[in-house]
Amino acid sequence: MSYSNSNYATHSPALPSFLFLLADDIGWGDFSYNNGTALTPNIDAWAKRDGSVLLQDFHSGGTVCSPTRATILTGRHHFRDCVDFVYGCSDMSQCVPNFEFAPSKTFTVGDAVRTAFPEEYDGNGVFFAGKWHLGSFFNDSEAYGGTTSSPLTHGFNKMNATIEVAPTATLNCQCKAEWKKHCKFGHYHKPNHCFPEGECCFNYWWDDPMAPHGVTNLTWPTPLDDSLYLADAFSRFLEERSSSEKPFLAQISFHHCHIPFIASEKAKRDCAAGKTCRLPEKGEPLYTDQELDYYACLTELDNAVGIILRTVQEYGYYNNTMVWFATDNGPEHNCPPLGICQKADTHPHRPVEGPGSSGPLRGRKRDIYEGGHRVPGVVSYPSEVRGGNHITWETATTMDFLPTVMEMLNVERPENQRTWAMDGRSILPLLRNPTNFTWKETTEGVRSLGIAYRHHDRKVADGWGFRFGPWKYVHGSMSCTVAECQRPQLYNLDDDLGERHDLSAKHPDILANMTTQFNQWFHSVSKSRHEESKCRLADLLPLPGSSRTDSEIN
Ligand SMILES: *[C@@H]1O[C@H](CO)[C@@H](O)[C@H](O)[C@H]1NC(C)=O
Ligand SMILES: *[C@@H]1O[C@H](CO)[C@@H](O)[C@H](O)[C@H]1NC(C)=O
Ligand SMILES: *[C@@H]1O[C@H](CO)[C@@H](O)[C@H](O)[C@H]1NC(C)=O
Ligand SMILES: *[C@@H]1O[C@H](CO)[C@@H](O)[C@H](O)[C@H]1NC(C)=O
Ligand SMILES: *[C@@H]1O[C@H](CO)[C@@H](O)[C@H](O)[C@H]1NC(C)=O
Ligand SMILES: *[C@@H]1O[C@H](CO)[C@@H](O)[C@H](O)[C@H]1NC(C)=O
Ligand SMILES: *[C@@H]1O[C@H](CO)[C@@H](O)[C@H](O)[C@H]1NC(C)=O
């Protein structure tokens, strides 16, 4: 890929711009820079480019879709704002279970840029495109017994978005006959995202003051590859933005490569022929059709990311734009080679096996083990990142986006939220000195992270975890063995990235320390729900290691 300086690059705004690219259900080991099967030349080259940092200890704030999406916007663990699990918003008027994301209007990253420089970022400068999965778009959902919770009520002023799960190909009502059996893509057994009900439709919506609910939907065909629709939506947005010579903040949330991942026949043939994929080793079986769909989906995503980065470059924004790339959680569940996912097949649409790879990490999506939430992470910001080819193993997370933006723009949360808990930290010091930066030498000291997983109907056990420097506490995880599920575990990730050697018996003092730290964090989460966000579900926080909820105990 060529990044030569372009003729378009004439008037870049003085203020920085921000772009968050979020992919779906892709594992730490899936891109070719980490030995993945699909070749991802655009992402690989970007991670190595001058001004980029590859973050190898980067985490999604949640272990499933909706939770991580909340953490990007608020810089807080998702439980603090009652985004406890994956929501179904198959019915536009009402999400199931009905919920409000951050009902007390928790400060978001869109609010941050608009507060700092209202005239510069306002007027369609704060754009959300792709999979929202944090509530209903109708501005009058309350009239149907639901709650409006759209990009427009959480800091963005322009959108081109889908509600939740959608296939990676040809959204917009062009159902293929063979997809009909998948038409219940919407979560929680609601039919789908269609109007009229019963049609198979996963459509894009945007703000429209002339439309009855304040939003309108797309009425023309989308491309076979959905990531091209999003690349196109971003190009249109940036073309308009650049003509005003103003900065922007955008989040592009791809559907690639959540199930159902569907790739073009040509892309699958190219993978099978070894043009876009590593071929199976001698003696290994050929890739299955499902694997080819997944690998080709990764190639499509990589291509769309390349288009978006070139667009940023062409309009003269690249040097002064901070671009983040992450995925929302690890890959969809799988059993081999360790057979540690005996509880993974509880959902009718969930394949027990999936082709995605978390590399050497243990576990996958929904796991407290690293495979659930240690995900690909790349940040580029040439104005501040000097010298090329940086790789860091310092911890960072999707929750760091907001505090980093706040530090860059020197903006604070509103007076009444200033003392609210925030789990994220600004990574600006890391970006300025990726070679030598370590959290332990900062004034806040060693980095800690709380990790949680909850299933909406509690049929699947909760998972809890805590990270403190190299130490990792795990109490319940999707793929723990029966014996492991019953006791707290302790791992040292410096020596045991794959979390195979439980050190709880060897280091009871460290386990006790981690348990205390976890409990302190958990207490602070509970306090956030009751005293900060004050959401309706505040009392429903489950207690770790117990089937009782917070309110039942109190
Ligand atoms: C990728 O494979 C090479 C060669 O086997 C190995 O040295 C390297 O550690 C692997 N990278 C990751 C991220 O696993
Ligand atoms: C929803 O948006 C429409 C169009 O902008 C507007 O006429 C209507 O008053 C809005 N309804 C609510 C409840 O905000
Ligand atoms: C969505 O688009 C269809 C046409 O494809 C139109 O009939 C329908 O009214 C639109 N829905 C809304 C809520 O605007
Ligand atoms: C949404 O994106 C599609 C694809 O680029 C585009 O056709 C459509 O005009 C966009 N809608 C808005 C309101 O920008
Ligand atoms: C971007 O930064 C690089 C390195 O600092 C510089 O060589 C290049 O001219 C800059 N490009 C633009 C368009 O400002
Ligand atoms: C990093 O630390 C090393 C050793 O202390 C030092 O030589 C080097 O200049 C530092 N690099 C940066 C970019 O600060
Ligand atoms: C846990 O250990 C760290 C590092 O030794 C120490 O700073 C901290 O105070 C300990 N916390 C508790 C709750 O014991």
Side-chain angles (χ1 to χ4, degrees):
M1 180 173 47
S2 142
Y3 282 106
S4 62
N5 280 338
S6 143
N7 300 330
Y8 298 86
T10 45
H11 308 286
S12 341
L15 286 171
S17 292
F18 306 95
L19 175 61
F20 201 113
L21 303 175
L22 184 70
D24 206 319
D25 287 8
I26 291 172
W28 193 79
D30 269 327
F31 294 134
S32 42
Y33 72 71
N34 262 358
N35 297 340
T37 298
L39 303 179
T40 50
N42 290 286
I43 292 170
D44 291 12
W46 172 52
K48 290 201 179 115
R49 197 181 161 183
D50 277 3
S52 297
V53 182
L54 171 60
L55 296 138
Q56 289 286 50
D57 188 13
F58 187 85
H59 297 260
S60 53
T63 64
V64 283
C65 299
S66 310
T68 292
R69 284 153 217 273
T71 68
I72 296 168
L73 303 180
T74 62
R76 288 151 61 84
H77 190 269
H78 51 94
F79 273 21
R80 296 188 191 277
D81 297 291
C82 290
V83 180
D84 292 355
F85 26 66
V86 170
Y87 290 96
C89 284
S90 321
D91 177 341
M92 270 289 272
S93 62
Q94 191 177 48
C95 293
V96 183
N98 193 7
F99 84 114
E100 301 166 281
F101 161 42
S104 304
K105 296 282 169 266
T106 305
F107 192 67
T108 66
V109 73
D111 297 331
V113 297
R114 292 167 73 184
T115 305
F117 296 98
E119 287 177 15
E120 293 297 324
Y121 295 94
D122 259 350
N124 296 343
V126 187
F127 179 47
F128 184 91
K131 177 176 168 181
W132 173 245
H133 215 172
L134 284 169
S136 163
F137 297 160
F138 281 12
N139 68 352
D140 55 355
S141 295
E142 282 73 6
Y144 302 87
T147 308
T148 303
S149 175
S150 88
L152 304 179
T153 58
H154 289 92
F156 297 93
N157 52 27
K158 185 176 165 67
M159 64 183 257
N160 198 334
T162 60
I163 305 160
E164 48 136 303
V165 169
T168 63
T170 321
L171 276 68
N172 195 20
C173 292
Q174 302 154 62
C175 273
K176 292 186 182 176
E178 67 263 36
W179 297 0
K180 287 285 182 191
K181 64 180 190 303
H182 293 305
C183 265
K184 294 188 195 305
F185 284 142
H187 287 92
Y188 308 142
H189 315 297
K190 285 280 178 171
N192 46 50
H193 304 166
C194 297
F195 294 91
E197 186 150 329
E199 289 302 299
C200 184
C201 170
F202 307 89
N203 213 348
Y204 282 95
W205 297 78
W206 54 76
D207 40 307
D208 180 356
M210 305 309 286
H213 309 283
V215 284
T216 194
N217 66 173
L218 187 74
T219 53
W220 57 88
T222 53
L224 180 60
D225 168 4
D226 176 68
S227 67
L228 290 177
Y229 177 94
L230 290 172
D232 188 56
F234 177 74
S235 301
R236 287 164 192 263
F237 163 75
L238 203 59
E239 181 178 8
E240 191 186 316
R241 200 68 199 152
S242 67
S243 65
S244 70
E245 295 176 23
K246 287 185 170 180
F248 71 90
L249 180 142
Q251 180 176 336
I252 313 294
S253 291
F254 297 97
H255 301 102
H256 288 52
C257 295
H258 193 289
I259 52 169
F261 35 80
I262 298 155
S264 72
E265 289 307 318
K266 177 177 186 310
K268 288 163 73 172
R269 276 197 307 273
D270 285 348
C271 175
K275 287 188 201 156
T276 56
C277 291
R278 296 179 214 274
L279 290 173
E281 301 285 324
K282 262 208 162 60
E284 284 183 358
L286 296 179
Y287 297 132
T288 62
D289 204 46
Q290 187 202 33
E291 284 168 331
L292 291 175
D293 266 318
Y294 184 76
Y295 301 142
C297 176
L298 291 171
T299 303
E300 286 176 357
L301 171 76
D302 178 70
N303 176 49
V305 168
I307 293 171
I308 288 171
L309 293 173
R310 281 192 293 276
T311 303
V312 173
Q313 176 98 24
E314 279 167 11
Y315 287 109
Y317 282 91
Y318 187 80
N319 276 8
N320 204 15
T321 297
M322 186 175 70
V323 185
W324 289 47
F325 178 92
T327 76
D328 64 342
N329 46 249
E332 189 48 273
H333 257 270
N334 199 354
C335 284
L338 291 160
I340 50 173
C341 67
Q342 72 276 19
K343 283 174 291 172
D345 55 349
T346 51
H347 190 285
H349 310 306
R350 181 181 305 150
V352 172
E353 295 189 26
S357 164
S358 48
L361 309 180
R362 179 167 180 183
R364 300 165 76 94
K365 180 177 181 179
R366 300 174 194 85
D367 262 306
I368 300 301
Y369 297 126
E370 294 292 287
H373 50 88
R374 186 187 292 226
V375 294
V378 181
V379 175
S380 73
Y381 186 28
S383 306
E384 295 283 359
V385 179
R386 302 295 173 177
N389 205 10
H390 298 291
I391 298 179
T392 179
W393 289 78
E394 287 295 305
T395 308
T397 110
T398 52
M399 296 181 282
D400 299 341
F401 185 52
L402 171 66
T404 305
V405 171
M406 285 169 63
E407 184 178 5
M408 284 166 62
L409 299 180
N410 194 22
V411 62
E412 294 221 55
R413 290 181 285 180
E415 198 75 46
N416 66 340
Q417 292 190 25
R418 220 156 274 177
T419 58
W420 287 20
M422 187 172 291
D423 302 83
R425 288 193 199 171
S426 169
I427 65 162
L428 200 54
L430 186 160
L431 298 178
R432 287 182 172 145
N433 191 353
T435 322
N436 289 354
F437 173 86
T438 63
W439 290 113
K440 62 172 184 280
E441 283 163 23
T442 62
T443 48
E444 301 112 308
V446 176
R447 181 117 212 216
S448 63
L449 279 184
I451 310 153
Y453 167 69
R454 225 197 131 183
H455 190 257
H456 72 284
D457 61 10
R458 312 292 311 282
K459 277 187 199 139
V460 178
D462 306 318
W464 304 94
F466 198 79
R467 177 80 186 275
F468 181 71
W471 293 101
K472 175 87 177 286
Y473 162 88
V474 178
H475 197 169
S477 188
M478 186 71 169
S479 63
C480 47
T481 62
V482 173
E484 285 170 332
C485 293
Q486 281 160 10
R487 57 164 205 267
Q489 301 151 61
L490 180 72
Y491 298 97
N492 185 324
L493 300 179
D494 276 357
D495 310 326
D496 180 22
L497 187 59
E499 294 167 283
R500 304 290 175 215
H501 308 291
D502 178 8
L503 301 174
S504 56
K506 191 169 171 202
H507 294 295
D509 50 329
I510 298 173
L511 178 67
N513 175 304
M514 295 293 284
T515 309
T516 306
Q517 290 201 66
F518 169 79
N519 287 336
Q520 285 164 351
W521 174 78
F522 183 78
H523 180 76
S524 121
V525 167
S526 177
K527 195 161 169 261
S528 289
R529 294 164 76 100
H530 289 101
E531 295 171 21
E532 295 166 3
S533 57
K534 299 190 178 111
C535 25
R536 267 201 305 272
L537 298 178
D539 283 344
L540 298 178
L541 185 63
L543 285 182
S546 146
S547 56
R548 293 169 301 182
T549 63
D550 204 9
S551 64
E552 287 161 345
I553 297 290
N554 287 334

